[in-house]
Structures are given as C-alpha cells and as structure tokens.
C-alpha cells in the first residue's frame, strides 16, 4: 500500500470520526436540555444514581457524555495522526487508526437510546447494538494486529488483513446473543455473555501489550516499551469509558485514552523516522 493511499485512508478515517462526534453532539442535546426520556431503562433497572452536594444525579446523562467524549477522542486522535504523518510506512499506526475510529462508533449507544425512546421495533435496537459491538470487536482485533506487526508479522497485504478483521468483528457481533428488550446502563441491549465479552477484551489487551514488549526485546528498541505502556493505557481507558458512567471514571478513561495514544503514536513516528 503506497504512502499516498495510506494518507487518503487517514483522511477518510478522520472525516468519519468527525461525523461520529457531530452525531454524538446532536444526540446529547436532549440530555442537556432535560428532554430525554429514559423510562425504558427503568424496566431493566438500568438507571443508576449518586448524590453530589445534596443533588441526585442519574446515569443516563453521564452515559451520553461518555459517548460524546469517545467521539471527541476519535476525532482528536485521528487528527493528530493525520497532522503528524511524516511519510512513515508504519503498519502499527495503520491498524491502530481503525481501533481509534471504533471509539467514534460509541455514538451508536445514543442511537440505541433514541430508537428505544421512540418505541421503535426490537429489530432496530438489536441491529444498532450489534453495529456498536462490531466496531468494538473490530477495534480490538485491529490494535492486536498492530502489535503483531511490531512483533514481526510481515504480511504486506494490509487490505486483506483488514478485511479479515472486519469480517471476524462483524461475525462475532452478529453471533452474540442479546436479551431483547433488556438494556444495560450504557444504553445497549444487554448481551447474553457480558462477562465472557469483557474477558475476551481483557485477554486481547494483555496479548497486545505483551506483543509490544516482545518487540522491544527482539529488536532491542526501547521505544517499544513506551509504546507498550501507551497501548495498555489506551486500552484501559477504552474499557473504562465504554463501561462506566460515574463522571470521575469517565474523566479517568478519557485521560488514559489521550495519554496512551500520544505515547503510542509519537514514539512510533519517532522510531520509524530514524529507520
């Protein structure tokens, strides 16, 4: 894949992330204006609350804010990748970019909420939920592929690898059983195997970090240790941002995403510029 082709892909991913962020902002407005109706979450006992200075704050508004933060992160990070692109041929950053875009698709959680709020069919909310899950699975597989290239994987047909990742991610999402009409606090229709899904994500995150540490050992390049730290921080931030609703947890997840991604991208760019 040529450098020009990768740059076009980077522009496309950045544009998609900006659209996701804009959609998240539009769908967050009803929560800010107090017009959102989360009554369908009450039947699933998925409205959580905590008190702050005597005020009772409910989870739906914070979940919406978390989705908006995920979209903002995707736009900022892909903008940084595009801005710092200096004619490198890094397969690691190529696949990492698709993981970043998967965070933008967290906007889909707001779409699920609006569909359920409007009383749309179960099929509509199930499909929207599967799209979000497909993006998450695809993103995890993409960043894992990034670590495999760092560890020595040498398949040059990036398009073929990406197609396989997209197919597997979508297949896992559509194979996942969902509890029709039951919603979790993050707005999605509740998956049937929540713990297994979380465990698979954790295993993939650990494997990704180990791959980058192996790259540091096999190449003797210390930068990969920092890259491994960045990947671990970013993946932990993702896990927090897409599953938690407390404002402090959302702030922590967003911070970890930004810090981890900056370490990851900046050190990879610096490494490849010297090759």
């Amino acid at each position: 894949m040529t450098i020009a082709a990768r740059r076009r892909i980077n522009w496309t991913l950045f544009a998609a992330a900006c659209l996701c962020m804009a959609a998240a902002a539009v769908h967050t407005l009803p929560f800010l204006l107090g017009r959102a109706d989360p009554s369908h979450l009450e039947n699933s006992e998925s409205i959580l609350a905590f008190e702050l200075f005597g005020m009772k704050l409910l989870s739906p508004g914070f979940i919406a804010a978390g989705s908006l933060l995920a979209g903002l992160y995707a736009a900022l990070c892909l903008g940084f990748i595009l801005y710092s692109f200096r004619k490198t041929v890094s397969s690691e950053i190529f696949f990492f970019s698709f993981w970043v875009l998967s965070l933008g698709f967290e906007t889909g959680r707001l779409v699920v909420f609006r569909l359920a709020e409007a009383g749309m069919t179960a099929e509509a909310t199930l499909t929207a939920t599967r799209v979000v899950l497909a993006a998450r699975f695809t993103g995890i597989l993409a960043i894992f592929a990034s670590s495999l290239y760092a560890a020595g994987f040498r398949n040059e047909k990036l398009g073929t690898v990406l197609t396989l990742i997209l197919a597997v991610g979508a297949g896992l999402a559509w194979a996942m059983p969902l509890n029709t009409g039951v919603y979790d606090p993050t707005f999605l229709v509740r998956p049937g195997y929540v713990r297994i899904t979380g465990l698979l994500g954790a295993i993939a995150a650990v494997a990704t970090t180990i791959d980058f540490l192996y790259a540091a050992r096999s190449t003797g390049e210390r930068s990969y240790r920092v890259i491994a730290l960045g990947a671990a921080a970013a993946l932990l931030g993702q896990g927090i941002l897409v599953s938690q609703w407390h404002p402090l947890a959302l702030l922590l997840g967003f911070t970890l995403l930004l810090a981890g991604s900056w370490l990851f991208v900046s050190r990879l760019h610096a490494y490849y510029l010297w090759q």
Side-chain angles (χ1 to χ4, degrees):
M1 185 178 293
T2 65
I3 293 175
R6 293 194 190 193
R7 191 165 184 81
R8 286 195 296 270
I9 290 173
N10 283 341
W11 270 109
T12 301
L13 296 180
F14 174 65
C18 288
L19 287 175
C20 288
M21 183 181 67
V26 169
H27 287 303
T28 301
L29 278 177
F31 293 91
L32 297 177
L33 299 175
R35 297 176 181 174
D37 179 15
S39 58
H40 64 279
L41 297 176
E42 295 178 356
N43 297 329
S44 303
E45 298 181 351
S46 295
I47 297 181
L48 308 176
F50 77 102
E51 290 190 4
L52 180 66
F53 303 121
M55 296 184 297
K56 187 176 182 181
L57 303 177
L58 302 179
S59 60
F62 293 111
I63 293 297
S67 299
L68 180 60
L69 285 177
L72 175 62
Y73 160 77
L76 288 175
C77 188
L78 286 169
F80 175 62
I81 290 174
L82 191 62
Y83 173 77
S84 60
F85 189 95
R86 295 186 178 90
K87 297 184 179 181
T88 64
V89 289
S90 171
S91 298
E92 292 96 321
I93 292 179
F94 174 80
F95 285 103
F96 177 76
S97 297
F98 285 91
W99 174 78
V100 174
L101 182 59
S102 73
L103 269 293
F105 276 84
E106 291 299 319
T107 299
R109 290 191 284 163
L110 294 169
V111 174
V112 174
F113 179 93
R114 297 299 297 277
L115 290 172
E117 179 187 39
M120 299 297 287
T121 63
E123 189 62 32
T125 57
L126 291 174
T127 299
T129 295
R130 292 191 191 281
V131 170
V132 176
L133 293 177
R136 287 185 189 176
F137 291 141
T138 298
I140 289 294
L141 291 171
I143 197 172
F144 178 61
S146 173
S147 71
L148 288 178
Y149 276 90
F153 185 60
R154 288 294 176 264
N155 190 322
E156 297 300 326
K157 297 181 179 180
L158 302 185
T160 301
V161 176
L162 180 60
T163 299
L164 177 61
I165 288 173
L166 291 171
V168 173
L172 288 173
W174 257 260
M176 178 68 65
L178 300 175
N179 296 319
T180 304
V182 181
Y183 300 89
D184 66 20
T186 65
F187 296 165
L188 296 180
V189 178
R190 187 169 295 167
Y193 302 116
V194 177
R195 292 183 179 178
I196 293 178
T197 303
L199 180 61
L200 289 175
I203 292 173
V206 171
T208 298
T209 304
I210 290 175
D211 279 345
F212 282 117
L213 291 174
Y214 173 78
R217 180 178 178 181
S218 62
T219 64
E221 177 55 53
R222 295 182 179 180
S223 292
Y224 274 117
R225 297 179 184 175
V226 180
I227 294 165
L229 175 62
L235 286 165
L236 178 59
Q238 178 195 30
I240 294 173
L241 194 62
V242 305
S243 64
Q244 302 300 313
W245 67 274
H246 194 285
L248 294 180
L250 295 178
L251 180 61
L252 174 61
F254 186 66
T255 302
L256 286 172
L257 276 172
L258 291 179
S261 299
W262 181 80
L263 289 175
F264 188 99
V265 176
S266 63
R267 294 316 304 161
L268 271 173
H269 275 321
Y271 170 66
Y272 276 100
L273 280 172
W274 287 102
Q275 299 307 302

